[in-house]
Amino acid sequence: MHNAGRSQMAAALLYHHAQGRVTVRSAGSAPADTVNPAVLQVMNELGLDLSQEFPKELAADAVEAADVVITMSCGDACPVFPGKRYLDWELTDPAGKSIEDVRPIRDDIDRCVRALLAELVPEAAK
């Protein structure tokens, strides 16, 4: 919803692992003002700099153009288009959590991202 934590991590990890083989967009139905500072720090630990990222509002045309739409508990706030593949990743929200608590969330997201990438681009898993 806020595009300040989980989706920012997922987008950065997918972009990193895909190395240009997929297009990645990240947005939320009710964007926050800034990316969660704990998220910035745990991603920086992996060498992924999100300091220039900012929460973005979900645009229906971006969903319409997507092949796969990943939701993270957005409920009715996410537009649904027929023919799209939707996956809902049930992940803990990092909002208000310590760095130590955000690391396992990041690692869960990384596992989800790698599994999705292996489906989308099988040669990426090799």
Side-chain angles (χ1 to χ4, degrees):
M1 289 180 59
H2 298 130
N3 192 231
R6 295 169 292 190
S7 57
Q8 290 285 350
M9 287 190 281
L13 288 161
L14 183 53
Y15 181 81
H16 171 73
H17 294 310
Q19 299 178 346
R21 292 175 283 199
V22 297
T23 300
V24 182
R25 292 185 183 95
S26 174
S29 55
D33 293 328
T34 60
V35 175
N36 179 326
V39 165
L40 294 174
Q41 188 168 341
V42 300
M43 295 303 286
N44 202 33
E45 292 172 355
L46 299 179
L48 301 175
D49 181 9
L50 278 81
S51 65
Q52 300 302 308
E53 293 298 327
F54 59 93
K56 297 159 208 67
E57 187 165 4
L58 182 64
D61 60 337
V63 176
E64 207 167 11
D67 294 319
V68 179
V69 179
I70 307 298
T71 60
M72 297 176 187
S73 305
C74 71
D76 295 337
C78 293
V80 176
F81 293 94
K84 299 295 171 192
R85 179 178 174 204
Y86 285 85
L87 300 173
D88 186 47
W89 291 351
E90 293 185 28
L91 300 159
T92 304
D93 188 344
K97 304 251 187 299
S98 69
I99 301 293
E100 292 75 22
D101 292 334
V102 175
R103 283 186 190 111
I105 298 168
R106 175 202 61 201
D107 296 343
D108 287 344
I109 292 169
D110 192 43
R111 281 187 285 281
C112 291
V113 162
R114 288 174 186 263
L116 176 62
L117 184 59
E119 287 180 37
L120 298 176
V121 187
E123 65 272 12
K126 296 176 182 175

